[in-house]
Amino acid sequence: MQESRLFKIIYYLLDKGQATAPELAEKFEVSVRTIYRDIDALSGAGIPVYTETGRNGGIRLMNGFVLDNAVLSEEEKREILTALQSISTLGNVGGSQILEKLSAVFQLSSDNWLEVDFSRWGNEGTDNEKFELLKSAVIRCRAVKIRYAGSCKMVSERIVQPYRLVYKATAWYLKAFCTVKQDWRVFKLSRILELEVLNETFQRREFPEPEGISEEQYCQITLRFPQEMAYRVYDEFDKTQIRQQKNGDLIASAKMPADEWLTGFLLSFGTQVEILSPAVLKKNMAEQAKLIYEKNKY
């Protein structure tokens, strides 16, 4: 697709250093008046372009202004605007300002197609505040004191050095170095009960990526769910892992880590799940259900 005239003017000035209004009018086949309107539009969008009068005068960009001289296609420009809009939705004011300026330069509209809300349903915004505080700590390399509800049913206080915020599956996590354990940890944001950004700073290091779970630590499971549980089944499994039976039941098959998390995950379905295989998992779940019954019977 044809490049916008404003964008071409910027590239021309970057390449030539300066140009006169008649020169630009001739090159882009418009009137001198139109060129001056274009210069006003660029200046209004925040591009440092100005006009000097006199024998050696002309239209030029302020010294130090840099823009990649590679030619961008219409699709590439839209991708840039989309990326900036994504940044803007995360509360980055600078990203919003850059978005407005480049939208004007590219002569493309930035459709407001993305909205991000980190809070859970019924939450009064504390999740959003938590995310913003952690984002600031990651960017500024500031240590954070947290109260965390761990998987061992223990609430502990830790001081961590936050490295990266990660969205995985359906939840946000914080990758950080834990000064208590003197090791790298991954914390689920919803389990961070309280946090305080400290004045203490740290030197950024690379987060060691895990080697992964070995094949022996996974088990192939097959589950049956009634049709009315479709909303939850499609939340947890990919459609390629699900088969629908003639009676409407859903059969889900997947490899999952064989640990305590799997037990808790399956128990979360209550009576709406039937374990078809493996038999040892079915037996283990039956024993867990019996223990729950004994503890809660009346």
Side-chain angles (χ1 to χ4, degrees):
M1 299 179 71
Q2 186 177 12
E3 298 286 304
S4 72
R5 188 172 63 254
L6 292 181
F7 203 57
K8 286 182 177 180
I9 289 174
I10 293 175
Y11 275 128
Y12 188 85
L13 294 175
L14 281 169
D15 185 49
K16 301 296 183 181
Q18 74 171 41
T20 63
E23 177 184 349
L24 291 173
E26 181 180 357
K27 179 170 181 60
F28 298 112
E29 300 179 344
V30 294
S31 68
V32 172
R33 181 176 295 180
T34 298
I35 289 298
Y36 281 120
R37 282 201 298 264
D38 289 343
I39 298 306
D40 287 339
L42 289 172
S43 180
I47 302 300
V49 60
Y50 64 98
T51 303
E52 284 185 340
T53 59
R55 199 171 97 183
N56 296 320
I59 300 168
R60 66 177 65 201
L61 292 165
M62 185 177 293
N63 291 337
F65 178 76
V66 177
L67 192 63
D68 188 0
N69 282 291
V71 176
L72 297 176
S73 68
E74 206 80 5
E75 180 62 28
E76 288 170 331
K77 287 188 286 184
R78 289 192 182 279
E79 288 178 2
I80 290 172
L81 295 180
T82 297
L84 285 172
Q85 185 175 2
S86 301
I87 294 172
S88 178
T89 60
L90 296 180
N92 186 303
V93 177
S96 178
Q97 294 171 346
I98 296 170
L99 179 64
E100 292 177 4
K101 292 176 181 178
L102 281 186
S103 294
V105 172
F106 291 167
Q107 290 287 278
L108 292 173
S109 64
S110 175
D111 298 327
N112 189 21
W113 64 274
L114 181 64
E115 179 180 343
V116 177
D117 185 353
F118 300 106
S119 62
R120 288 163 283 188
W121 295 107
N123 185 278
E124 295 298 324
T126 56
D127 287 332
N128 287 326
E129 181 182 356
K130 183 191 302 180
F131 184 90
E132 287 298 319
L133 286 171
L134 288 172
K135 181 183 74 173
S136 174
V138 170
I139 294 172
R140 297 161 60 197
C141 293
R142 296 276 289 274
V144 179
K145 181 192 291 186
I146 64 172
R147 284 187 67 244
Y148 188 72
S151 57
C152 297
K153 306 177 182 65
M154 293 286 290
V155 175
S156 59
E157 188 173 281
R158 322 230 188 144
I159 294 178
V160 302
Q161 299 172 351
Y163 168 74
R164 180 180 295 168
L165 287 163
V166 179
Y167 188 79
K168 178 71 173 175
T170 59
W172 280 96
Y173 298 86
L174 175 68
K175 289 184 174 182
F177 183 82
C178 177
T179 60
V180 174
K181 300 293 185 181
Q182 283 295 298
D183 199 2
W184 295 95
R185 292 289 188 271
V186 178
F187 301 96
K188 194 171 185 179
L189 259 62
S190 59
R191 295 183 187 173
I192 298 178
L193 308 180
E194 296 176 11
L195 71 91
E196 176 189 355
V197 179
L198 307 176
N199 290 325
E200 175 188 340
T201 60
F202 61 90
Q203 189 69 33
R204 181 176 291 277
R205 294 174 286 173
E206 286 299 315
F207 187 92
E209 296 301 331
E211 296 179 358
I213 302 175
S214 65
E215 193 68 22
E216 291 74 21
Q217 292 175 280
Y218 281 94
C219 68
Q220 180 73 37
I221 66 170
T222 304
L223 311 169
R224 185 198 305 274
F225 301 92
Q227 187 175 15
E228 56 267 26
M229 288 296 293
Y231 73 95
R232 174 80 190 279
V233 175
Y234 284 102
D235 272 350
E236 305 290 352
F237 299 93
D238 186 81
K239 65 178 183 180
T240 59
Q241 300 172 313
I242 303 168
R243 305 189 319 271
Q244 186 162 22
Q245 305 298 290
K246 290 183 178 180
N247 65 352
D249 285 355
L250 299 171
I251 306 296
S253 298
K255 278 190 174 182
M256 306 191 81
D259 55 19
E260 291 184 3
W261 173 86
L262 179 58
T263 302
F265 171 73
L266 294 175
L267 285 172
S268 70
F269 288 95
T271 60
Q272 300 299 307
V273 60
E274 177 187 355
I275 300 170
L276 301 181
S277 68
V280 63
L281 180 60
K282 189 180 183 75
K283 178 182 177 182
N284 179 53
M285 289 298 296
E287 292 173 350
Q288 290 293 321
K290 184 177 180 180
L291 288 174
I292 293 172
Y293 169 76
E294 292 296 332
K295 182 174 288 188
N296 293 280
K297 68 180 180 180
Y298 64 95

